[in-house]
Amino acid sequence: MSGDDFNLTCLAVGGSCAASVSRAMERIGVSPYACRHMSWKGDFFALRAENLRAPAANILKQEFLAKGADAAVNSQVILGQPERSSVLMLATAAQYGRICRGLRRQQFGLPALADEIEQALINIRQENWQLSLGGGRVLPLGGGCRIMGILNLTPDSFSDGGSYASVEQAVDRALQMRAEGAYIIDVGGESTRPGHQQISIEEEIGRVVPVIRRLKAAAADLPVSIDTYKPQVVAAALAAGADIINDIWGLQYPADEQHQMAALAAEYGCPVVVMHNRDNIASDLDVSGELPRFFRQARQIARAAGVKDEQLILDIGFGFGKTPEQNMQALAYTAALRILGRPILVAASRKSTLGLLCGQPVDKRLLATAAVTAQAALAGAALVRVHDVAAAADVLAVSNALYKINIGEELHI
């Protein structure tokens, strides 16, 4: 049984307070050694593993009870029915460490699950990433949430369609966003709003390539992502100087049966934003299980093509393949996605779900977008994709400071 069969997911990390515990112990004179080891007892994690055989689920529960923790299983597992079950595990980080040592002495795939649990706890704590942009350049992420500025070169985008009629206007806007605080510029040539009109590959290339070339000539060090699901457009954009692929289908577009998008990422050695998406909306979608499963599938596709795990950025897919309620569930689940060990991107700027919540038209959703930006930063997201860069920069100045305190970093104002 491979490790991915478990689809190990994290349901919440809101109970994590190891940094606060450690600071409190330091203030009362606890030794550094004790601080390091006792602070783990302040980190509580609710993890869920799927697809365990009934004997494994029973053993797992006993291991948790023996270590003072707990695990919830199907009530009929003790009778061997159903044959497989999910298990909800409830323990501190310190307890998980002791439990995993016990699981390695067991059978039924439990040693593999122990490996996944230990890696998950490492992943959740990861705060910094180094992605390669090719040519020896590096894209650092972490240390606070950063901004991906939206540059739509489309006449029909839901929010800013038709705003930049010339290459010069588009480049000027990109440079303005950089001055306002954008870390990455995301260039898109086809609207992906609900009910959008698909355009030809040639037309999309004609929109994005001249802008990318001119922008990279003006600011060679400014990272540029290409927002498309078409491999031909990606190839043209990367050849023109784009640094990052932003794929709204997370390397799983139904028409890309040969996984050309992943192959291009491997060829150019560039980072890839893999966004969660579905070709149908399911009212009973379990967001907490669906997103990790989707991202693990994307990782497998990327690996098979030769893309390193270190090059992946995960986008929760706000506004894609989900009901409005599920969009908000995905946003609330952002922190828990850190179980996968990759930087998270949230792209909800001005979207319709925010309009439903606040009752405002698309051009008056600045404050609603700001609320999402703050939530994303406090959840540990590495990037937010926004239209209003200057406003987002102000929000992040405060939210990033709060997040750093939460994880135990020193703050100097």
Side-chain angles (χ1 to χ4, degrees):
M1 178 182 291
S2 68
D4 276 350
D5 291 337
F6 296 120
N7 192 35
L8 184 67
T9 56
C10 179
L11 302 186
V13 294
S16 299
C17 58
S20 298
V21 169
S22 182
R23 284 197 298 269
M25 287 193 293
E26 288 172 4
R27 290 192 182 101
I28 64 174
V30 176
S31 73
Y33 175 85
C35 284
R36 285 194 303 272
H37 289 273
M38 292 175 67
S39 62
W40 271 53
K41 297 178 181 180
D43 268 348
F44 175 86
F45 300 97
L47 304 181
R48 181 181 60 200
E50 300 174 0
N51 201 36
L52 275 80
R53 283 173 277 180
N58 280 318
I59 293 170
L60 192 64
K61 182 171 182 65
Q62 295 308 312
E63 287 282 355
F64 272 74
L65 291 173
K67 303 301 188 297
D70 212 338
V73 301
N74 186 293
S75 60
Q76 299 303 306
V77 159
I78 191 67
L79 303 176
Q81 297 294 333
E83 293 183 359
R84 292 183 178 269
S85 173
S86 295
V87 179
L88 176 61
M89 299 169 281
L90 308 169
T92 66
Q95 288 169 329
Y96 276 116
R98 295 194 296 272
I99 290 164
C100 286
R101 288 193 290 273
L103 294 181
R104 290 201 170 86
R105 297 190 292 268
Q106 301 294 344
Q107 305 177 57
F108 307 109
L110 289 173
L113 178 59
D115 291 342
E116 281 214 50
I117 291 172
E118 290 192 339
Q119 185 61 52
L121 297 182
I122 293 171
N123 290 346
I124 288 170
R125 289 179 172 80
Q126 187 167 351
E127 297 293 342
N128 294 282
W129 300 267
Q130 301 286 322
L131 289 79
S132 172
L133 292 178
R137 294 176 301 144
V138 173
L139 179 75
L141 290 176
C145 189
R146 305 193 194 205
I147 297 169
M148 175 184 278
I150 300 171
L151 187 65
N152 283 329
L153 309 178
T154 54
D156 59 341
S157 287
F158 79 96
S159 177
D160 55 353
S163 296
Y164 315 111
S166 70
V167 171
E168 290 75 16
Q169 286 178 320
V171 171
D172 287 347
R173 174 56 183 154
L175 296 177
Q176 178 188 12
M177 286 193 287
R178 182 189 199 184
E180 291 172 345
Y183 188 57
I184 299 168
I185 301 298
D186 189 46
V187 177
E190 178 181 284
S191 172
T192 52
R193 63 180 173 82
H196 74 280
Q197 182 64 46
Q198 191 175 51
I199 62 173
S200 70
I201 292 168
E202 293 74 21
E203 184 176 359
E204 190 173 348
I205 290 173
R207 290 177 180 177
V208 301
V209 163
V211 171
I212 291 171
R213 283 180 177 154
R214 188 76 64 85
L215 179 55
K216 294 301 286 189
D221 62 331
L222 176 60
V224 173
S225 58
I226 175 64
D227 179 8
T228 185
Y229 56 92
K230 301 173 185 174
Q232 300 91 332
V233 177
V234 163
L238 293 176
D243 305 286
I244 302 164
I245 299 171
N246 183 8
D247 182 5
I248 66 166
W249 278 98
L251 305 179
Q252 298 171 68
Y253 185 52
D256 187 13
E257 296 177 356
Q258 302 302 315
H259 300 307
Q260 298 176 65
M261 193 73 85
L264 283 166
E267 178 184 347
Y268 280 85
C270 63
V272 187
V273 177
V274 292
M275 192 193 80
H276 175 266
N277 204 343
R278 290 171 57 91
D279 56 8
N280 67 301
I281 295 178
S283 60
D284 60 346
L285 181 69
D286 173 16
V287 171
S288 67
E290 164 76 11
L291 266 63
R293 187 180 295 109
F294 180 94
F295 290 134
R296 287 186 172 113
Q297 179 64 26
R299 184 176 64 188
Q300 289 300 106
I301 293 169
R303 285 175 176 174
V307 180
K308 296 179 180 178
D309 293 359
E310 291 78 11
Q311 292 293 79
L312 301 182
I313 300 168
L314 311 181
D315 182 342
I316 67 172
F318 193 103
F320 288 82
K322 304 175 190 66
T323 66
E325 292 80 4
Q326 290 162 0
N327 287 326
M328 295 306 292
Q329 289 168 9
L331 177 62
Y333 188 63
T334 298
L337 280 173
R338 295 177 60 180
I339 191 174
L340 299 173
R342 301 307 309 144
I344 308 298
L345 184 151
V346 174
S349 183
R350 303 182 185 174
K351 289 187 176 177
S352 60
T353 293
L354 304 187
L356 291 172
L357 289 168
C358 69
Q360 295 290 352
V362 67
D363 60 340
K364 294 184 178 180
R365 296 174 188 165
L366 176 62
L367 293 180
T369 300
V372 173
T373 298
Q375 166 64 20
L378 292 172
L383 290 165
V384 286
R385 180 179 178 273
V386 300
H387 299 85
D388 305 289
V389 172
D394 284 348
V395 171
L396 292 178
V398 178
S399 297
N400 283 339
L402 288 170
Y403 179 74
K404 289 178 180 179
I405 289 175
N406 287 341
I407 63 173
E409 289 191 16
E410 292 293 327
L411 185 63
H412 303 284
I413 299 177

